[in-house]
Amino acid sequence: MAEVLLFHHALGLTEGVHAFADGLRRAGHTVHVPDLYEGRTFADVEAGGAYAQEVGFDTIVARGERAAEGLPEAIVYAGFSLGVVPAQKLAQTRPGAVGALLLSACVPVTEFGAAWPEGVPAQVHGMDADPFFAGEGDLAAARDLVAGAADRELFLYPGTAHLFAERGTADHMPEAAALCAERVLCFLDAVKG
């Protein structure tokens, strides 16, 4: 079974993030879910994003890097939205990564290196009309990430919701979330860190 380091989104470490992690655990995977916000949660993405901006994105990423310390190198890095930033950075820069799961966001690969590391499979999940994912460059970055790579996939779901895969949010889309979870579990079964 795979070992996963899962980073939360701008709302903080919510019950929905815990529920997603628990679903992976029920399938037999080991999942670590650090709190990058030190106990704070927010009711909307704008307020959570403002907090991240106030603290500093570099600080949020550094907290993510510290969360990886002491964990095995053979790990899958996963993140929801804001959490994709530390997940993607670790997948690209920490030796031994066995995969990356990027939900509702994707950063240009060049932010963390010249190229995506060979042999590190990835899945990117997002809604095709999500104003954050499709409208702010993440979709273009995701298309670049998967272009010509047999072990990297982009899954687009119809809709405008941003945090579609997390139950408990206003954005939750049950059918898309279920399909996303199914694809994530297939990915984890295949990588088996």
Side-chain angles (χ1 to χ4, degrees):
M1 295 284 111
E3 190 153 357
V4 180
L5 180 56
L6 174 65
F7 296 109
H8 63 74
H9 43 62
L11 300 181
L13 187 52
T14 62
E15 289 180 23
V17 173
H18 281 297
F20 188 88
D22 288 343
L24 303 181
R25 290 182 184 115
R26 281 191 298 277
H29 304 290
T30 300
V31 185
H32 307 275
V33 191
D35 186 350
L36 304 178
Y37 276 11
E38 300 179 327
R40 292 171 187 83
T41 57
F42 297 90
D44 60 65
V45 172
E46 289 75 18
Y51 170 75
Q53 211 165 18
E54 176 185 319
V55 168
F57 291 108
D58 289 343
T59 299
I60 300 295
V61 171
R63 289 174 182 172
E65 290 174 307
R66 280 194 302 278
E69 292 173 2
L71 295 179
E73 286 186 348
I75 200 162
V76 174
Y77 298 100
F80 285 100
S81 189
L82 173 71
V84 162
V85 180
Q88 190 172 330
K89 180 175 185 185
L90 286 162
Q92 286 188 237
T93 62
R94 189 172 186 243
V98 294
L101 293 164
L102 313 176
L103 292 91
S104 300
C106 186
V107 178
V109 170
T110 54
E111 287 292 316
F112 306 120
W116 188 261
E118 286 297 319
V120 178
Q123 281 187 352
V124 183
H125 299 264
M127 292 216 134
D128 62 1
D130 168 10
F132 296 107
F133 182 74
E136 294 186 359
D138 297 74
L139 178 53
R143 286 186 169 133
D144 287 345
L145 172 65
V146 304
D151 62 349
R152 300 190 297 265
E153 298 178 282
L154 169 60
F155 295 105
L156 289 175
Y157 305 84
T160 60
H162 184 56
L163 300 176
F164 72 94
E166 185 194 337
R167 72 174 187 221
T169 66
D171 280 357
H172 184 239
M173 305 293 290
E175 288 181 24
L179 182 55
C180 176
E182 180 183 320
R183 288 169 168 163
V184 164
L185 288 172
C186 287
F187 178 87
L188 292 177
D189 286 344
V191 297
K192 295 185 181 177

